[in-house]
Structure formats: C-alpha cells, structure tokens
Amino acid sequence: MVKEKETPAHYKIAKIARDLEKAGYPVIHLELGDPEIEVNHDIAYELYRAAMMGYTHYGDPRGVEPLREKLSEHLNNKLKVNVTKENISVTIGSKSGVYMSFRALLRHDDKVLLISPVWGLYQVMLDDLGIKYYNLKTNMENKWTPTMEDLEKYKNCNIKAIVVNNPNNPTSVVWDKETVEMITDFARKIDAYIIADEVYIDYSRKPFYSFLQTDYEKVIAVYSFSKSYAMTGFRIGYTVASTELATEISRLLQLYITNVPEFIQLAALKALDLPWVVEENRRILWSRTDYLTKSLKELGFKFIEPEGAFYVFTKVPGGWSDGVSFCMDLLQKCYVSIAPGTGFGGYEDYIRFSATASLEKIKIAIERIKKLIEGS
Amino acid sequence: MVKEKETPAHYKIAKIARDLEKAGYPVIHLELGDPEIEVNHDIAYELYRAAMMGYTHYGDPRGVEPLREKLSEHLNNKLKVNVTKENISVTIGSKSGVYMSFRALLRHDDKVLLISPVWGLYQVMLDDLGIKYYNLKTNMENKWTPTMEDLEKYKNCNIKAIVVNNPNNPTSVVWDKETVEMITDFARKIDAYIIADEVYIDYSRKPFYSFLQTDYEKVIAVYSFSKSYAMTGFRIGYTVASTELATEISRLLQLYITNVPEFIQLAALKALDLPWVVEENRRILWSRTDYLTKSLKELGFKFIEPEGAFYVFTKVPGGWSDGVSFCMDLLQKCYVSIAPGTGFGGYEDYIRFSATASLEKIKIAIERIKKLIEGS
C-alpha cells in the first residue's frame, strides 16, 4: 500500500523553474503538458458571442444538450461505440473528471489499483480523499504494459476500481487491443470499475482501442479539450459512463461547481466543428516530439519511442544517481526544466521530457542537455 | 445531529418547473438566485480579448496576480481591512469557495455549527463529505439573529467551524456589528473557524459589517462575482483567509481544477473597473425586491423585510399545511416556482420568493399568487 503525502516532485521543480525565471534566467520548460500553441480564433470568439447571446447564467450540471449530443456523435464516429448524451458529463478539464469519478465510485478506505507509470496527481488525489491504492509498476522492458500475471497478484485485494491512462503519460505508450481487453477481463472477474483517462486519444500514432470499446458497463472514460485543441486554460473535459454513474457525477458537479460556464461549453462545441485544428495541433506536436525523440536518442538516452502523447520517458543517463538529481542539475546549471520519474508512481531512475515547447526552444534545450551530459 | 441525504426540495421543485416548462406551460421562476440581467458588454468582450492575448493556458492555482491584487484593494477600500493578494484564492464561484474551505479545514467526522436558515447546499456538501453538523435554528421572532444563549448551547460540542451566511439567503436579513462580533467572540472562545459566506455583500441596504472586520485570524470569507455583476454563469468567486489557509485552499484548487480559466479572471478584473455595473444591478434588483415585498405584504404574508439580498422568506399562508404543499400548489396550479423552507435548514412552514426575475414577470406572478390565495 503506497502512501505519498507530498506534492509530486515535478511540481516542486516547476516552482524552482518559475523562481529562476522570475530572477531573469532563460528557463526552457519541458516539464509541463501544456502545448505552446495558441488557441484557434473562432474558438476564442465563440466565448464572446455566447456570452453576448446570454449564456452567462446557471445551467444544467451535466452540460448543455447540444454539446453532449455532439460529443456522443463524435465518439460514436471515432470509436464505433454507442454512446448517448445521457452518458456524458461535462467537467472542469479531465482533472475534475477524474476527481468526480473517484468521488462517484469510491468511499473512504476503498482500494484502487493504479497501473503505473501514471499521471502523478492521481496518487495525490487519492491520498487526499483517504482512498488506498496499490501501485502495479510496469517496466520499460515489458514496453510499459502489464501482463495477466501482474494483474492476478491483486485479485484478492478487494479492488474497487482500476485506474488506467492510455495513451500513457509519461511513457507515451499506447496499449494494443489485447492489453485493453485483458485489463477489462480482469476487472470483470474481480467486479471492479475502470477509470480510463484517455485524454491523449488524438495523439495516438497507431490504431487506438478505447476502454469504451470493450462494452464493459463499469468503465468511466475521461476526455478533455485541453490537449487536442490547445485549450488547456479553458478547463473543459468530459466523462463517459453508464447513465446511472453519469447521474451521480452530475449530482456532484451541481454540488461543487454548478456547471462548466456555458460560453466555454459553446466554445468547445465550436471546436468540434473544426477538426483541422486537431490535425494541425497533432502535426505540430508530432514534429516537436520527433525532433526531441531523435535528439535524445543521439545523446544515448534509452526509452520506448512515443506512440501517443508527446512525452519521452527515459532512463536517467549514466553519471547521475537518480532522476531528481539529473533534473536539478539540468535546471540549475542549464535552465532546462523537466520532470523526474518519482512523481509518476515511483520511477526514481526515470525522467520525463515534454515536447510541448516550441521547436526552437526544444532545439536550444537539446544543446544545453548535450553540454551537461558531455561535461559530466 | 442532523442528517439529510436528499437533494434539497427546492432543487426537486426546480426540476418539476423545468418539466412543466418543457411541456409548454408559462412557468415564472421565483425559486433561483440567478438575476435575470444580462452581463455587461465590456466584461463579455474581455473573455475574447484575453483568450486572443494568450490567456488560454494553465495558470497559478491561486489566481492571476493582478486580479488578486485588485481584489485586495477592493476589499481594503470597502471594508477598511488589511488584506493582501496572499490572502486571496480565486475559486469556481462561491460554491467551490465554500467547498474548498470545508476541505481545507475539516476532516471526516469533524463537527460544524450551521446558523440557519442557511443556503441548502451547505448541508448536502457536508453530508457528502461525511462531516457532521449541528443546526442552530434562529427564528423570525428574533429577526433571524442568534443570541449568545443560543450559541452557548454548543460550547461543549467540539465545533471545528461555524458556518454563517450574511447577508442571509434565504431571509435577506443583515446582522449588525454586535451580532457579528458576538459570533466571533464565541468562535474565539471555543477556538473554532468561521466560514463566512458574504456573497450578497453588495445588496446590503444598511451598513454592512463583515466577519473580516473582526480581525479574527480564523475567518474564511467567501465572495463571488455572480450576484454583484450578474456573472452567475462565469463561475468565479474568491476566498479571503490567512496566508496559511490560502496556501492550503490553493493546493486543493491545483489538485482538483488547476485554476479558474484566466480569461474569466481577466473578465472579472474588468468588472472591478466598472463599479456602475454593481450600482445598476443593485438598483434593478432592489426595485424588483421592493415590488415583491410590497405585494406580498398586501397579500397578508408575514416576514422580515429584506435588508440585503433579494429574497423574501415568509411564513406559508393559512390554508396550507406546509411550505412544500404551498410550493407544489403554486407551481402546478399557477406555474409560479418558489422554494420551500425545508431546504434552508428545516423550516417546514416557510417559503422563499426570489426577486431575480424581471419586474414584468414578478407582476404576473403576484397576480397568480393572489388568485391562488383568494381561491383557497
């Protein structure tokens, strides 16, 4: 049973980075998942138009009907599933989607299985809610993919929900259909829910198989407009769940936030009419990721090449005792900020590079990383 | 120890009202606290301008610095207090302000004292978090004001926090300085926090004395742009607390929502430059409230006249067994939707009228109410 009370290390490093920056140092940020891409003009304009049209009042906690309808069509087209607007709840980014899912399913002292590496805030949220979790650590040798044997170890642990993130942050690995079905079979066997964070769905470079496609009624899938549309700061995402669970999630949304501002929901609806925005953002982020991947390989870093998302999760190079010390050196000597692996489920020997910065910045960062490694 | 697992009755009635409306009935809504006033154009435009300026990324969970600075100046001018930007956390409306305050202060099985009548969702939130509460019921005869004797009954109840709402929803009563100081003295004596929801601050018709003015370091005050600026749907509010508590609230904000969208924060900053918007909204809502008050009095309703906020909380008229049955009759026979007193801390014999609808609608509603009462 893992317990981490602290803020993940990558948040601490981000803070040091901000402090250095304030002091005038030319910090390059490769530690955050916030694409350096400006939002599309039509999406921004829709905020204003909708506000002037009167979408400035309290609304349905589930989200406005046209958005939920469009989202269900969007998923049905994309994944060949059979989702209706009754399955959808519009949330404050995927973060509140995950949180509301935890709150809808779990009670104090319930047990969760995390398949890691995994986004660091899951653990902090669970700790904060007093929910216990097991940490199934996959490894690079297995391509960051669990085996049935790995899963079986937890079959008598009274697991209420399994939390997965696919495409994965930080590894950028995309599990194949067999893995997704295997995890779902295991969940069925132990009668556990699956909370599937699939926010990087649009960045998969291989055919993507969603947990929604397994037709397992105990899946809550979590999505977001943040990454696909460069709308991180709009704070809008959504969950897909059984009607019963969606009702509970909406009850919680009404209780704690009322609803996502309707003008933001209409901006998101506008975004869904602009599929080329996703194409363009994908092109930009893939090209940044490709450059980062190629350069890190040339520098001798060992990792699985990104298949989805825009992160490189790699072993710390020789000469450093662990990820945190490499991150600290890179930040304090070379002003490049990256994330240590500790925050992603305890991967002390790993570090995460994020290709969200502009190509120009990534190029400069690579030069600095090269200097640090060659100088060591 | 009170336990209410259900959604407050006024939410159920709001649902019936929506269903009737969908079926084509001319429902007038006097049950919700959402002013029927359109948002100012400059505030709406700022959403767009800020989004185009690039305020579309993740931000400081506390809120953007210029807004927190301006808010502290605003409060210091208004209340002659000494607040800095470090005391302020920008939240998703006052709702998440209250929620984050609960989360920052309270643990499972902690005990809270509610001074009621009080906004119904407090109880639902506390139930949902597994936090116990005592309900100190004030009464109309005492002008909805607690006495020291009332408070003293709870002195050995191990109260961790006292939750107050002043100006009050649903009574629209504004406590005077003596009452605010008395409650604070009691809190000091039992070493309890005070969570003071003061969102109706701008609608007070008499000199307003804030819990912040008591200089008690264990106060968290909760404010919102919703009512003052007709920005309910923007979902932006803020808390004022000690630096230590503000840090904890911000940690929770980062964990659960990241931050309020920065373009919304900048729209709120713009609103603070438009004090005449508050003046105008106050003029509109006071005149609606005055008409409602005068008319209900003429119909024989018994209540304390509103001193702040825009609600009339009144005894159910003769001929009805309780508030819920009057609300149901009024809704189903006359298509006027109001809130029963049960949801505000168990006031079975009371009902709340909200003067948020347009004057035209209130006039029609009064005609219908008259018919119902005279026909009974």
Side-chain angles (χ1 to χ4, degrees), chain B residues 110 231 248 282:
Chain B
D110 271 349
M231 286 169 68
E248 175 61 7
R282 184 159 42 213

Side-chain angles (χ1 to χ4, degrees), chain A residues 55-279:
Chain A
Y55 291 95
T56 54
H57 294 278
Y58 296 135
D60 188 328
R62 298 174 295 179
V64 299
E65 201 165 305
L67 178 61
R68 288 185 296 121
E69 233 154 40
K70 184 90 177 184
L71 284 172
S72 61
E73 280 168 30
H74 176 78
L75 287 171
N76 292 344
N77 286 336
K78 198 177 175 82
L79 302 174
K80 311 289 170 228
V81 288
N82 199 10
V83 162
T84 77
K85 65 177 194 288
E86 307 303 331
N87 303 118
I88 290 174
S89 312
V90 179
T91 59
I92 305 275
S94 63
K95 216 180 235 188
S96 85
V98 169
Y99 177 61
M100 293 299 171
S101 302
F102 286 166
R103 289 292 318 276
L105 294 180
L106 305 169
R107 296 292 165 265
H108 208 261
D109 288 334
D110 271 348
K111 291 182 194 81
V112 159
L113 178 63
L114 294 176
I115 301 182
S116 71
V118 81
W119 189 51
L121 277 216
Y122 292 161
Q123 285 106 306
V124 187
M125 271 190 198
L126 291 168
D127 281 340
D128 210 64
L129 290 171
I131 293 161
K132 299 193 175 67
Y133 55 90
Y134 293 95
N135 188 16
L136 189 174
K137 284 177 84 165
T138 65
N139 55 58
M140 189 159 76
E141 293 64 35
N142 263 353
K143 253 199 95 185
W144 305 114
T145 303
T147 62
M148 195 43 131
E149 211 188 325
D150 292 335
L151 292 167
E152 289 284 352
K153 285 178 195 149
Y154 300 93
K155 74 178 172 203
N156 297 319
C157 290
N158 203 11
I159 301 291
K160 185 85 176 280
I162 303 172
V163 180
V164 292
N165 177 209
N166 185 49
N168 185 263
N169 170 15
T171 67
S172 296
V173 157
V174 179
W175 288 333
D176 55 21
K177 179 176 172 175
E178 287 64 39
T179 304
V180 170
E181 289 286 2
M182 178 190 72
I183 294 169
T184 310
D185 286 345
F186 177 68
R188 267 186 234 267
K189 211 162 70 179
I190 63 168
D191 195 33
Y193 289 89
I194 294 175
I195 299 171
D197 175 349
E198 298 186 344
V199 300
Y200 296 99
I201 183 171
D202 286 320
Y203 291 96
S204 182
R205 294 173 185 232
K206 60 186 216 187
F208 177 73
Y209 190 76
S210 164
F211 277 89
L212 283 182
Q213 290 170 285
T214 63
D215 267 339
Y216 180 42
E217 68 282 4
K218 291 194 161 185
V219 166
I220 302 183
V222 179
Y223 301 100
S224 171
F225 285 82
S226 292
K227 317 293 178 179
S228 309
Y229 296 91
M231 286 169 67
T232 47
F234 283 61
R235 313 306 304 123
I236 180 165
Y238 53 104
T239 56
V240 184
S242 67
T243 312
E244 193 192 343
L245 278 173
T247 304
E248 174 61 8
I249 290 172
S250 301
R251 186 187 72 81
L252 292 165
L253 287 166
Q254 178 165 55
L255 193 51
Y256 295 121
I257 64 160
T258 307
N259 57 272
V260 172
E262 289 192 337
F263 51 75
I264 291 182
Q265 294 187 56
L266 291 190
L269 183 60
K270 167 60 76 177
L272 290 173
D273 276 338
L274 311 171
W276 56 88
V277 171
V278 182
E279 293 295 330

Side-chain angles (χ1 to χ4, degrees), chain B residues 108-139:
Chain B
H108 207 262
D109 288 334
D110 271 349
K111 291 182 195 79
V112 160
L113 178 64
L114 294 176
I115 301 183
S116 71
V118 80
W119 187 51
L121 276 215
Y122 291 162
Q123 285 106 305
V124 188
M125 272 191 198
L126 292 168
D127 281 341
D128 210 65
L129 290 171
I131 293 161
K132 299 191 174 66
Y133 56 90
Y134 294 95
N135 188 16
L136 189 173
K137 284 177 84 166
T138 65
N139 55 58

Side-chain angles (χ1 to χ4, degrees), chain A residues 5 7 11 22 32-41 44-48 51-59 62 65 92 95-96 99 103 108 119 121 124-126 128-129 226-227 230-235 248 251-264, chain B residues 5 7 11 22 32-41 44-48 51-59 62 65 92 95-96 99 103 108 119 121 124-126 128-129 226-227 230-235 248 251-264:
Chain A
K5 277 284 163 207
T7 313
Y11 274 82
K22 265 190 193 164
L32 294 171
D34 191 352
E36 192 177 337
I37 295 174
E38 289 320 302
V39 77
N40 171 279
H41 174 271
Y45 186 77
E46 185 65 11
L47 292 171
Y48 170 52
M52 288 313 295
M53 292 285 285
Y55 291 95
T56 54
H57 294 278
Y58 296 135
R62 298 174 295 179
E65 201 165 305
I92 305 275
K95 216 180 235 188
S96 85
Y99 177 61
R103 289 292 318 276
H108 208 261
W119 189 51
L121 277 216
V124 187
M125 271 190 198
L126 291 168
D128 210 64
L129 290 171
S226 292
K227 317 293 178 179
M231 286 169 67
T232 47
F234 283 61
R235 313 306 304 123
E248 174 61 8
R251 186 187 72 81
L252 292 165
L253 287 166
Q254 178 165 55
L255 193 51
Y256 295 121
I257 64 160
T258 307
N259 57 272
V260 172
E262 289 192 337
F263 51 75
I264 291 182
Chain B
K5 278 286 164 207
T7 311
Y11 275 83
K22 264 190 193 162
L32 295 171
D34 190 352
E36 191 176 336
I37 295 175
E38 289 320 302
V39 78
N40 171 278
H41 174 271
Y45 187 78
E46 185 65 10
L47 292 170
Y48 169 51
M52 288 314 293
M53 291 285 284
Y55 291 95
T56 54
H57 294 278
Y58 295 136
R62 297 174 296 178
E65 202 166 303
I92 305 276
K95 216 179 235 188
S96 85
Y99 176 61
R103 288 293 316 278
H108 207 262
W119 187 51
L121 276 215
V124 188
M125 272 191 198
L126 292 168
D128 210 65
L129 290 171
S226 291
K227 317 292 178 181
M231 286 169 68
T232 48
F234 282 61
R235 313 305 306 120
E248 175 61 7
R251 188 188 71 82
L252 291 165
L253 287 166
Q254 178 166 57
L255 193 51
Y256 295 121
I257 64 159
T258 307
N259 57 273
V260 172
E262 289 192 336
F263 51 75
I264 291 181

